[in-house]
Amino acid sequence: MHFDPAAFPGTKYFWETIRVFFSTMPKATCLILIGYVVLLIVVLIIGEWKERFFYIGSTLMLLITCVNPWMAWFLVNKLHFDDRYFRLFWLAPVVMLYIHMAVMIYRKAPKVGRIILWGLLMIFFGYSLWQISIRSEGLYHGGSGNKRMEIVDNIFKVEDDVAEACDIIDADSDTSKERRVIYDKDFYMEARAYDGSIVSILVPYFSYNGVDWDTAIEGKDWRGALRAIYTEKVGPCEKYPLDGDTLKLVMANARCDYVVLRKTSQYYNLWVDNFPVLGITEYYVVLKTLE
Amino acid sequence: MYQYVIAFVTFFLYLYMYYLFGAAVSRLLRLKNDPINELLYGLFVYAFIFFLYVLPLKLFYIKVDIIGRIWLIFLFIAAVTIHITHRKYLAEGWKNLFREWKSHKLVSSVVLLFTMGQMTFVEMYGRLYGGYNQTWFTGFVSNGAAYNHLMLHDPATGLPVTMFDNSRYLCTFLDHSAVFCRLFHMNAMVEVRTVETAIFIIFQNIVLWKLCKLLAKGKMDHALFGFFVCWTLKNIMVRSQLLPGFYTYFRTYEGKSFVINVSVPLLIYLMWKMHEEPENKGYLGCSIITLVGSMTYSLSMMFSYPFLLTAFVPFLLTKKGQRKPLIRNVLILGLIGILYFIVYILGKKEILDLSITFWN
């Protein structure tokens, strides 16, 4: 779930889940879920026994067996369901009930009524298409940001220059073996899926870890030094100069085969002057750092 | 260009094999000879057979190349055998489908066009920026294709791991993707984001259409109305990661998306049908097939299935005078769920040793 369960002990976890659910949903979606409750009441009043047991019975059973604070506590704390708990909410036959009622109304409507129903449906359907195509910008996607549905660059659905940079590395190396590469988080998101054997040496964390250039080299933490210069957090560089010879020493010991460097890097010239450039893409330059 | 061609070839290969396996099982279980149903249930049969095949090989670190070649040979033999032994049955099925199509041309065309439109939209606009889940998920497939071994590397980092992931090693549909990527030199993103995504969309619409026809009591224009009501709602509910609609468009390729959009509605449909015809063992057979096949897609299925079954037990048991077959069905389906859960717990408690000795 998109919050830390430890911060919501006991039955508070359930209520926080409900809060996150409703606070991250657009109003139209909230209305649909409220409408589901209304339809359950309608089924209770006018539905056949079979329909009542199917829709109301299943919803009540879900409330008893999992969608309640006590079972939430048990499932999350004892069975470690925290990442999966909210998916149990999906078992409720919400859409099916709407279809059932819609078809029932349609069945009873006269010919003119059916034309009107189709007209109304097409208006809502058009609205729903607008939701998925234009309005999907800003949709709730947990901790990370998301853009709307955008046209893809290629069949791989990665940025063109990510694919290009990976292909540059592939052309220079044995693709059946692991290639140790340094690249940033944005590149990583797509490169891992595009080519599994291009491995980042900065994983699992891509950001600066507090160890500057001097400290890293002094402690022979070669990958730490590489991280410092790659993330442009080198510090004062008083003991060890930030020059080509030191950089080559760091690369030789860090066992990093390639560097995928953003062209906007402030140390771009330092890298490019000291290592062969294999290729350049729209945003990156690919350097070979180990023979 | 090669990736486009191989994506098409793989897509049709998958669909055809699902259909053949489904036809064979359909005849065995004496189900209605309907190619669409056979395609649907065939996927689960195929997935389960692959699961039984690949799981021991994976645990013994057999190379993906070898797994793939043997599997292709098996598929070839199975396809030829089914064609020879079921040729009349297959021909009759296609005649039934054609007859059905002719009598409901307009409605069938609209549903087909809608499905194709969805597939095209997701294919052309499926740019999911910042998708860490995609990285992690597709990483299983790209690792398998790159390193020639299944699940021996962390999907997020690509680094070797020392234990099989207890929550993933049973999800053999990821292995299936890796095998075909390796066999056909297909990129993992093409297999997952184009081929599997298209297949999941098709199957989602098949299941939803079945539900709509059920609720419309067989009247096709009513069912079409219900179909569009369904998609209107699902599209509106797309804008939150906490709802299944999101997964239809933004993470179609994931196991949980398949489970919630295909398996769960299908099982609900089958429970309704079981209630209508308790003595018809065909629905029990289809439920078993759906359940065992679905377990190979996501751990979510294993966790949510007991609650799903429990939720509909009161409904099933309200059938007066015919409770015995329904109780039998519930017990059998419950037992299957429990078996999977036991296997999962054995791995979690380390009674089942999932440690990887390959690196020693």
Side-chain angles (χ1 to χ4, degrees):
Chain A
M1 195 56 189
H2 302 121
F3 55 86
D4 179 10
F8 299 91
T11 58
K12 287 182 187 169
Y13 177 88
F14 176 79
W15 298 115
E16 180 62 12
T17 303
I18 298 291
R19 190 198 68 77
V20 170
F21 244 98
F22 281 95
S23 66
T24 54
M25 276 183 221
K27 288 192 179 67
T29 309
C30 293
L31 280 174
I32 289 170
L33 295 177
I34 291 167
Y36 175 66
V37 177
V38 171
L39 287 179
L40 285 176
I41 296 168
V42 170
V43 167
L44 182 65
I45 296 168
I46 65 167
E48 296 170 10
W49 276 105
K50 182 178 175 179
E51 290 158 5
R52 286 178 192 163
F53 269 99
F54 186 83
Y55 294 109
I56 299 171
S58 62
T59 305
L60 282 175
M61 284 304 292
L62 286 171
L63 287 172
I64 293 166
T65 57
C66 53
V67 183
N68 63 70
W70 304 276
M71 278 307 290
W73 170 84
F74 175 76
L75 292 170
V76 170
N77 289 283
K78 299 299 178 190
L79 298 181
H80 307 288
F81 263 45
D82 45 316
D83 282 348
R84 296 184 174 93
Y85 177 70
F86 70 97
R87 296 179 206 168
L88 296 176
F89 291 23
W90 300 349
L91 299 178
V94 174
V95 172
M96 191 170 166
L97 178 54
Y98 272 94
I99 300 171
H100 194 132
M101 300 310 274
V103 167
M104 190 178 77
I105 294 168
Y106 188 83
R107 190 182 304 130
K108 290 181 178 170
K111 194 173 178 183
V112 172
R114 288 182 185 180
I115 294 169
I116 294 170
L117 283 171
W118 267 111
L120 284 172
L121 179 59
M122 285 300 106
I123 292 168
F124 281 111
F125 184 66
Y127 170 75
S128 77
L129 292 180
W130 177 64
Q131 287 285 307
I132 61 169
S133 55
I134 311 299
R135 285 288 284 137
S136 53
E137 181 174 356
L139 64 85
Y140 177 67
H141 191 244
S144 56
N146 196 39
K147 293 179 188 172
R148 63 184 185 194
M149 295 288 267
E150 288 186 335
I151 196 158
V152 296
D153 287 352
N154 47 60
I155 192 174
F156 310 105
K157 297 174 188 60
V158 300
E159 299 259 0
D160 271 337
D161 61 334
V162 170
E164 208 182 322
C166 291
D167 290 346
I168 290 169
I169 294 170
D170 283 350
D172 186 66
S173 55
D174 180 355
T175 55
S176 66
K177 294 197 167 82
E178 173 186 288
R179 278 73 53 76
R180 295 169 304 239
V181 184
I182 187 167
Y183 46 66
D184 61 26
K185 190 177 179 185
D186 287 342
F187 190 90
Y188 156 76
M189 286 291 189
E190 303 193 323
R192 279 297 306 142
Y194 181 76
D195 189 336
S197 60
I198 292 180
V199 176
S200 170
I201 66 165
L202 285 190
V203 290
Y205 305 108
F206 290 86
S207 52
Y208 178 60
N209 63 353
V211 178
D212 65 21
W213 180 255
D214 286 335
T215 312
I217 294 175
E218 190 157 58
K220 290 190 167 54
D221 176 10
W222 306 110
R223 289 199 173 171
L226 182 51
R227 180 190 294 276
I229 187 170
Y230 191 81
T231 57
E232 300 176 24
K233 300 268 198 306
V234 293
C237 300
E238 285 163 351
K239 283 186 186 168
Y240 299 96
L242 191 59
D243 60 17
D245 290 335
T246 320
L247 185 57
K248 282 179 183 172
L249 175 70
V250 166
M251 296 310 291
N253 286 286
R255 291 187 302 116
C256 177
D257 302 312
Y258 301 92
V259 170
V260 177
L261 184 74
R262 278 203 178 265
K263 287 179 184 172
T264 52
S265 169
Q266 70 177 110
Y267 301 115
Y268 179 86
N269 290 330
L270 180 63
W271 285 102
V272 166
D273 290 345
N274 288 283
F275 296 101
V277 172
L278 289 179
I280 298 174
T281 70
E282 189 178 348
Y283 298 109
Y284 300 102
V285 60
V286 181
L287 305 157
K288 184 162 183 156
T289 49
L290 203 66
E291 290 296 336
Chain B
M1 179 49 109
Y2 173 78
Q3 296 292 326
Y4 287 96
V5 170
I6 201 65
F8 267 102
V9 168
T10 313
F11 173 74
F12 285 109
L13 175 66
Y14 286 175
L15 288 179
Y16 197 59
M17 292 315 306
Y18 297 157
Y19 161 66
L20 287 181
F21 277 68
V25 168
S26 171
R27 192 174 174 198
L28 196 69
L29 296 180
R30 296 197 189 127
L31 302 175
K32 186 182 164 197
N33 189 356
D34 175 356
I36 301 296
N37 270 353
E38 285 154 11
L39 175 69
L40 176 64
Y41 295 112
L43 174 142
F44 299 106
V45 172
Y46 179 98
F48 185 61
I49 294 174
F50 184 79
F51 166 83
L52 293 175
Y53 164 70
V54 84
L55 194 58
L57 298 181
K58 175 163 72 176
L59 296 176
F60 282 100
Y61 321 123
I62 305 298
K63 287 187 180 179
V64 175
D65 287 337
I66 297 170
I67 292 174
R69 282 175 207 146
I70 297 172
W71 183 247
L72 263 189
I73 293 168
F74 165 73
L75 287 184
F76 178 75
I77 294 170
V80 168
T81 308
I82 293 169
H83 270 291
I84 292 170
T85 56
H86 290 62
R87 62 182 181 284
K88 283 184 185 167
Y89 188 82
L90 295 174
E92 191 192 316
W94 285 105
K95 274 187 204 158
N96 292 342
L97 182 67
F98 184 65
R99 206 177 302 127
E100 178 83 13
W101 172 273
K102 265 182 85 174
S103 48
H104 305 291
K105 258 188 241 174
L106 180 62
V107 168
S108 306
S109 303
V110 169
V111 174
L112 182 64
L113 279 170
F114 178 83
T115 304
M116 287 171 66
Q118 270 188 322
M119 285 160 54
T120 307
F121 177 69
V122 173
E123 175 63 19
M124 299 293 293
Y125 288 87
R127 180 84 177 80
L128 184 65
Y129 183 75
Y132 176 74
N133 290 282
Q134 172 187 272
T135 306
W136 188 87
F137 199 84
T138 320
F140 280 109
V141 179
S142 62
N143 279 346
Y147 293 117
N148 207 14
H149 282 98
L150 297 170
M151 295 194 178
L152 296 189
H153 297 80
D154 186 289
T157 64
L159 300 172
V161 292
T162 54
M163 283 197 70
F164 284 106
D165 185 342
N166 187 48
S167 61
R168 286 282 169 258
Y169 81 101
L170 295 171
C171 296
T172 53
F173 94 101
L174 295 167
D175 300 328
H176 183 268
S177 294
V179 163
F180 276 85
C181 285
R182 183 88 188 177
L183 270 176
F184 294 161
H185 302 286
M186 185 168 37
N187 190 284
M189 287 291 277
V190 171
E191 204 279 348
V192 169
R193 294 292 308 274
T194 297
V195 180
E196 287 290 349
T197 296
I199 284 174
F200 284 12
I201 289 172
I202 289 171
F203 279 79
Q204 201 177 154
N205 280 320
I206 291 175
V207 171
L208 287 173
W209 183 241
K210 284 172 82 68
L211 264 173
C212 291
K213 276 201 299 183
L214 172 74
L215 296 173
K217 297 181 183 173
K219 289 194 186 313
M220 297 300 251
D221 57 327
H222 298 198
L224 188 67
F225 185 78
F227 186 76
F228 275 94
V229 166
C230 169
W231 276 111
T232 300
L233 293 170
K234 282 173 82 77
N235 289 348
I236 290 171
M237 294 198 287
V238 85
R239 287 179 56 212
S240 169
Q241 194 193 6
L242 303 176
L243 292 174
F246 172 89
Y247 295 87
T248 300
Y249 292 99
F250 293 97
R251 283 158 65 172
T252 327
Y253 50 90
E254 289 190 25
K256 62 169 117 18
S257 171
F258 179 82
V259 159
I260 198 57
N261 289 312
V262 179
S263 307
V264 167
L266 183 56
L267 284 167
I268 292 175
Y269 164 87
L270 287 167
M271 282 195 252
W272 182 291
K273 293 300 281 186
M274 262 192 248
H275 186 271
E276 280 184 352
E277 299 171 54
E279 299 292 347
N280 188 334
K281 287 186 184 154
Y283 295 122
L284 174 64
C286 291
S287 299
I288 293 170
I289 287 167
T290 305
L291 184 55
V292 298
S294 301
M295 293 293 192
T296 71
Y297 278 85
S298 172
L299 198 69
S300 291
M301 186 71 217
M302 192 176 66
F303 282 131
S304 52
Y305 177 67
F307 298 104
L308 179 70
L309 187 62
T310 317
F312 290 97
V313 160
F315 165 71
L316 286 173
L317 298 185
T318 55
K319 188 86 180 184
K320 286 180 187 169
Q322 288 179 297
R323 288 200 180 111
K324 264 193 189 163
L326 289 169
I327 292 171
R328 174 203 65 205
N329 292 355
V330 166
L331 287 174
I332 292 171
L333 294 173
L335 186 64
I336 294 170
I338 288 168
L339 280 172
Y340 274 97
F341 196 70
I342 288 171
V343 171
Y344 171 75
I345 292 294
L346 288 176
K348 195 164 171 64
K349 299 284 182 195
E350 296 180 18
I351 296 167
L352 207 60
D353 182 13
L354 295 176
S355 58
I356 293 171
T357 56
F358 179 76
W359 311 113
N360 298 352

